[in-house]
Amino acid sequence: MGVNRKPDDPRRRIVLSALTAGLFAAAPGSALAFFHKRNTPGRMPEGQSFHQIQGGVRVNGAPASIDSVIRAGDSVTTTADGQAIFVVGQDAFLLRASGRLETAGEGFVVEQLRLLTGKLLSVFGKTRHRVQTPIASVGIRGTGLYVETEPERTYVCTCYGITDLAALSDPSSRETIESEHHDEPRYILASGAPGTRIRSAPVINHTDAELTLIESLVGRVPPFGAGAGGYQREER
């Protein structure tokens, strides 16, 4: 059962349940996109990290509650029935089931993340970040990013922004992606001929609605919902 931050509005519960379940895929400029924008929860209160906890979620190995605070250096894990939506500084995350995420940085400024298992949707402020899996390294320059890690490959979708992709086992397999709207998803492989371990991939398992939701938690709307000009502050 999900735990949402207060105040609790029944209409908002319905919208957020649909958003976090990935049932909506709002097209830019559509009536549905407008509906999502007007029903997103807004910036998280000062000192609060979790927007939603569903199933088993732990912070640094201890059971998490809606009042748990996450700082750079903490780890977040989810069980097979777990999911967590949370904020650290200017970055927001949706960690799906069976995930383990380790963060590094200082205070509430995350600089590096290690996704050891699972699936992670992230939106980042304008400072540089790096996400690493057991197979891949992703340098981030202000972007929305979706990552799935598997034993033999990592999936990366640069939802918008710029990323520098590299296969950890092969320095010659690297690529810079510039994306406006899920333009160039990639698989990064654990093995293969040198220089060939980054392959084209489809868009899978994440939605514009989820990106809109987590951007709203840090007071932004994604570029595809704001028209030209990139990141914008959330409308009030």
Side-chain angles (χ1 to χ4, degrees), residues 6 26 52-54 76 79 85 88 100 104 118 125 137 144 165 172-173 180 192 195 212 235:
K6 298 175 284 190
Q52 184 186 77
I53 292 174
Q54 176 180 316
V76 182
T79 60
I85 300 175
V88 185
R100 179 173 179 82
S137 174
L165 310 182
S172 65
S173 291
E180 293 185 0
T212 301
E235 290 188 7

Side-chain angles (χ1 to χ4, degrees), residues 5 12 15-16 19 24-43 208-217 219-228 230-236:
R5 66 183 172 94
R12 188 168 65 83
V15 172
L16 295 183
L19 287 171
F24 296 142
S30 69
L32 186 56
F34 178 83
F35 175 77
H36 288 153
K37 185 174 179 181
R38 294 301 179 185
N39 287 275
T40 50
R43 185 185 290 273
D208 286 351
E210 291 169 324
L211 286 161
T212 301
L213 170 61
I214 61 175
E215 284 279 29
S216 78
L217 300 179
R220 300 187 298 255
V221 295
F224 57 76
Y231 282 106
Q232 302 289 330
R233 292 192 176 276
E234 180 190 21
E235 290 188 7
R236 298 289 182 182

Side-chain angles (χ1 to χ4, degrees), residues 54-72:
Q54 176 180 316
V57 178
R58 290 179 174 266
V59 176
N60 299 328
S65 75
I66 204 72
D67 297 318
S68 298
V69 176
I70 303 173
R71 297 175 176 84

Side-chain angles (χ1 to χ4, degrees), residues 58-126:
R58 290 179 174 266
V59 176
N60 299 328
S65 75
I66 204 72
D67 297 318
S68 298
V69 176
I70 303 173
R71 297 175 176 84
D74 291 341
S75 65
V76 182
T77 58
T78 55
T79 60
D81 67 344
Q83 178 171 278
I85 300 175
F86 57 95
V87 166
V88 185
Q90 293 302 305
D91 310 324
F93 308 94
L94 191 167
L95 182 62
R96 301 198 194 279
S98 302
R100 179 173 179 82
L101 178 68
E102 297 178 350
T103 68
E106 186 174 347
F108 292 99
V109 179
V110 172
E111 296 174 350
Q112 298 187 51
L113 302 105
R114 295 181 66 209
L115 183 66
L116 300 178
T117 61
K119 304 173 183 180
L120 178 71
L121 183 68
S122 311
V123 294
F124 297 98
K126 293 184 177 180

Side-chain angles (χ1 to χ4, degrees), residues 148-159:
E148 295 188 3
T149 181
E150 302 175 25
E152 296 301 320
R153 69 183 184 183
T154 289
Y155 172 85
V156 179
C157 179
T158 306
C159 305

